[in-house]
Every structure is written in C-alpha cells, then in structure tokens.
Amino acid sequence: MAEVRRTVVVKLNVDDSDATLLHKTVEEYLWACNYVVRDAWQDDYKPTSKNTLHDRTYSDVREQTRLQANLVQSARNRAAEAIKGVVARWKKGKKASQPHFTTPSVRYDKRSATFHDDRVSLSTVNGRIEAEYILPPEGDNPQTKYLRNDEYEITGATLQYRDATDTFFLHIGTKPDVETKIPDEGDAENSTVLGVDLGIEQIAVTSTGMFWSGDYLNHRRREYERVRGDLQRTGTESAHRTIERMGDRETRWVEDYLHRISKAIVQEAVAHGCDRIAFEELTDIRNRMPSAKKFHAWAFRRLYDYVAYKAEAEGIDVTKVDPAYTSKRCSKCGTTLDENRQSQAKFCCQKCGYEVNADYNAAKNIGFRLLRTGQKSPHGGATRHLALKSGTLNVNGGYSPTDD
Ligand SMILES: [Zn+2]
C-alpha cells in the first residue's frame, strides 16, 4: 500500500528574542538558497546535482552565514530542486527564469530540529531555540490524528512566517510509523476528501471554505477582449500581429494565475490531511453553466490539470464526480429542491433553513458525492471524511517561487 504522508500545521509560541533569531535564520537561509542558484546560473549548462552544488558552494555559504551545517545542506537541496524544475521546463520547451527565493520559510530535518510532543527545538543562526506548539484541544483535527498519534512519525518540518498575523507556523510532515503499525487491522487509515466547486463569480471554492474570486480574471479578460475588438476594427496587418502577441501574453498570464490557485488548493488539501480532491465533471460545463464562456471551460480544464499534476506529487488523488444537483442539494440535511438555490450567490434550504454561500454549499456536495459513491481511496480508507471549515486550521501557504 502506498505510504500516506500528512502535513500538520502548528502555530508556534515564540517570544520576541527568539522571533528575532528565527527572522535572522530565515534571512540567511534564503540568502543561501539564492546564493546556490546564482552560482549555478554562472554556467550555461546549469548543474542540478546536489553533490556538484555542494562542492561548489558549501564552504562559501558556511563562511558567509551563521547557518549550521544541516541548514546549509537544506538550502542547497531546496535550490537544487528549484534548478531541476527550471531545467525540466526548458526541456519541455517552456519558459522559466532564474529561481529567486523570497517566501519566508526554512526546511528542517530531524538533525536541525528536535520534535517533542508539545514543542520543537530549532537550530538558528545562534544556537537553538525552543518553541511551544499552540494546539487545538484533542478531537477530530489533524493535530490529534497525526501529531499526537504514536502510529505516525515525524519526518521533518517547514518553518513559515506569516507577515499578516506576525506568526511563525510549522508545517510538520508525518508518515505512518511502520514499526508500530499493526498490519491486519486496516484501521487507522482515514480517507479525507476536499471538495472543489468551480464557477464564474468564484473561480474555485473548497469545502474547507477557501474562496478564489473570479473578478480579477474576468476583469482582465474583458479588458483584453475590448482592446482586441478595437484592434480588429482597424484591420491592419500590424494590428493582427499585435492581437496574436497579446493573445500569447494573456494566455501565459492566465496560466500563471491558475497555477497559483492550483498550488493553493493542493496546499489546502495537504493542510487538512486530505488524500483525495473531488471536482465536478467538466464535460458539458457550458450547458450547465449558461454564463460560462469558452474561456471559462478552458480555464477550468487547465486548473483541474494543474491540481491533478501537483496533487500527484503529494500522493493525493484527484477525481471528477457527477455534478447533478450539487447546486440544489442542501449540504446540511440533504434535501434537494430547485428553490434552495435562491440566487447566484445565495443558498437557502427550504427544509432546514440552512443559509450559506451557494458555491461553498456546492463544494461540500461535490466532496460528499465522492464519499458516497463508495469509491474507495487507493490508499484504503475505512473511515471517510470531508474536510470542512470548522475545527481545522485555515492555511494560506506562501508560494515558493519556482515549483510551478
Ligand atoms: Zn437543509
């Protein structure tokens, strides 16, 4: 059976002087990542081997930073992955530029960090610091399921700083502890689904209550159409060429935007310990969604493909389900009525009175549908869950700049 790895997000309790040390550590770590990339970029043929990059940069980085050896290696590994990603894109004839690390995060392993039940000890630019976990009460949450569970062992963690809330978070990786796992029970295996609804007003909404508005995309789209219309009316050869160039640029822009959304969706699934993501079936979408343009159908397919691709790397399966009634069914009591869907944005159940954003309701139904098909997760899954907003942490992970 495939090994199921989970990431659990934990907020850290850090006092001011330790926070200063962590900020310095992040700063020097990012500097180290960028140093390795810059070094590789001096060559026409970019080195991607960790050994080569190590030989070329290790002593320099040790000299110029206060990072402990394991963090220097971690930074070099991260740079190596980013360089590999760029080279892979080039090989496919795609564009990619020199990676530059800005997201405030540091990858720790079990040598640079020590994980305890209630706290972590982290290597910094000046010795180690200890930070307590801020954990939710024990219950149906990923912290209880994976972190407080002896059947899961910790593999490492990524420290992340969130500017908006001025907090440090630890994204702790876990995997089933093979030693303590009793084979024939087939128990502890939970299957958790993230439901995703796609639409025009909201490009994507998850069953965990994350929304990505379509405004930005729709606005840019309209602007583009307007300019294209003006150019078409001039009808000259050069206007025609301009239209083509603009079209290419617009496509790249939209693809990049969809990449970011897909990445956030997969992060959301990882943060909620999901092993499956459910989308609605995309064929025939323009009949079901009368206001959808050809562009939307294209964008939805792209978004789905990007999510499927990124999810695979996390061991998460992506499936499409029959979309029938997902917009009219009450995700709370299960009643399906035309009148439940009051307007584009509003859902109000005529039976139980549940009032909620219509897309969010649909996202939950899409997730439920996959659970109810009885289709088993390839990872097993005796107990099945839908990842929901309540009782779980909401995560907006930063983008690392290259792995799209
Ligand atoms: Zn209801």
Side-chain angles (χ1 to χ4, degrees):
M1 183 165 35
E3 188 177 72
V4 188
R5 288 165 178 271
R6 313 283 184 163
T7 303
V8 181
V9 182
V10 173
K11 198 170 160 180
L12 297 179
N13 187 5
V14 181
D15 67 28
D16 286 349
S17 71
D18 286 352
T20 307
L21 279 176
L22 288 181
H23 281 302
K24 289 277 172 213
T25 307
V26 169
E27 198 181 296
E28 296 193 12
Y29 181 87
L30 293 180
W31 184 91
C33 294
N34 288 321
Y35 182 89
V36 175
V37 169
R38 268 202 313 278
D39 185 85
W41 243 253
Q42 290 172 355
D43 294 12
D44 287 335
Y45 190 82
K46 313 295 178 221
T48 56
S49 133
K50 286 177 183 173
N51 285 337
T52 308
L53 293 167
H54 176 90
D55 292 344
R56 288 169 56 144
T57 61
Y58 182 78
S59 55
D60 287 355
V61 175
R62 276 312 292 271
E63 252 165 51
Q64 300 198 43
T65 68
R66 294 168 289 165
L67 297 172
Q68 173 245 12
N70 289 320
L71 286 184
V72 174
Q73 289 162 13
S74 159
R76 176 251 297 150
N77 290 348
R78 201 155 175 189
E81 285 162 28
I83 299 165
K84 264 186 203 149
V86 168
V87 171
R89 280 180 69 82
W90 286 346
K91 280 186 182 154
K92 284 188 230 152
K94 292 183 177 169
K95 285 195 178 171
S97 49
Q98 178 177 345
H100 184 68
F101 293 86
T102 53
T103 306
S105 69
V106 175
R107 223 184 267 166
Y108 283 92
D109 64 14
K110 285 202 265 188
R111 292 164 304 170
S112 48
T114 311
F115 302 93
H116 303 280
D117 284 352
D118 56 346
R119 66 191 196 284
V120 66
S121 146
L122 298 169
S123 165
T124 74
V125 290
N126 185 17
R128 286 200 166 213
I129 63 134
E130 283 215 337
E132 278 173 21
Y133 299 149
I134 301 175
L135 294 170
E138 290 210 20
D140 186 16
N141 52 51
Q143 288 80 5
T144 302
K145 251 188 267 169
Y146 306 114
L147 210 56
R148 292 163 166 147
N149 185 344
D150 286 344
E151 289 177 11
Y152 280 82
E153 65 170 299
I154 291 170
T155 54
T158 302
L159 176 76
Q160 285 202 359
Y161 174 69
R162 271 183 232 164
D163 211 5
T165 48
D166 187 26
T167 19
F168 283 98
F169 283 85
L170 211 52
H171 292 233
I172 303 175
T174 68
K175 66 169 190 190
D177 187 341
V178 217
E179 301 287 308
T180 62
K181 197 151 187 224
I182 310 146
D184 290 314
E185 299 257 314
D187 56 340
E189 204 70 66
N190 286 309
S191 175
T192 305
V193 171
L194 182 77
V196 182
D197 180 61
L198 301 175
I200 317 283
E201 302 296 315
Q202 311 290 342
I203 279 290
V205 177
T206 66
S207 58
T208 50
M210 281 197 93
F211 288 72
W212 288 272
S213 166
D215 286 354
Y216 194 36
L217 211 54
N218 293 329
H219 175 77
R220 266 204 66 145
R221 181 74 193 167
R222 278 192 298 272
E223 273 302 289
Y224 167 73
E225 290 295 345
R226 189 182 59 75
V227 175
R228 193 174 69 158
D230 289 349
L231 282 166
Q232 254 164 1
R233 275 185 289 280
T234 70
T236 63
E237 181 77 14
S238 105
H240 182 71
R241 280 198 302 274
T242 308
I243 290 172
E244 283 190 343
R245 264 202 313 277
M246 272 176 50
D248 290 344
R249 208 163 55 216
E250 193 61 18
T251 304
R252 278 200 301 278
W253 183 86
V254 175
E255 285 176 339
D256 182 58
Y257 190 66
L258 295 172
H259 261 302
R260 285 161 188 247
I261 298 176
S262 70
K263 191 161 185 173
I265 290 173
V266 173
Q267 280 176 348
E268 184 72 356
V270 169
H272 286 82
C274 299
D275 58 352
R276 287 187 292 173
I277 300 175
F279 280 83
E280 61 192 289
E281 195 60 64
L282 296 172
T283 47
D284 216 27
I285 197 143
R286 290 185 70 193
N287 284 332
R288 284 185 281 116
M289 229 183 260
S291 54
K293 305 268 185 277
K294 200 168 155 193
F295 160 74
H296 290 106
W298 169 83
F300 294 155
R301 276 196 309 273
R302 271 290 145 96
L303 183 59
Y304 176 87
D305 289 343
Y306 291 161
V307 170
Y309 172 76
K310 292 187 175 74
E312 198 188 345
E314 302 286 346
I316 297 170
D317 291 282
V318 181
T319 313
K320 293 176 196 152
V321 300
D322 179 0
Y325 309 116
T326 47
S327 64
K328 294 171 184 170
R329 177 185 181 271
C330 173
S331 61
K332 200 165 189 184
C333 73
T335 306
T336 299
L337 285 169
D338 281 347
E339 302 77 47
N340 284 352
R341 183 72 184 257
Q342 303 244 302
S343 67
Q344 192 57 43
K346 195 174 161 204
F347 181 93
C348 181
C349 178
Q350 300 304 298
K351 190 172 178 204
C352 77
Y354 181 53
E355 256 191 72
V356 69
N357 174 281
D359 299 318
Y360 174 55
N361 181 67
K364 288 203 284 180
N365 281 329
I366 288 165
F368 276 132
R369 175 129 318 155
L370 180 59
L371 293 179
R372 290 188 313 163
T373 54
Q375 210 179 313
K376 275 211 173 162
S377 156
H379 309 303
T383 325
R384 303 185 193 135
H385 303 278
L386 178 64
L388 292 172
K389 186 160 56 174
S390 54
T392 43
L393 282 169
N394 216 1
V395 179
N396 314 291
Y399 303 125
S400 60
T402 52
D403 44 351
D404 54 0

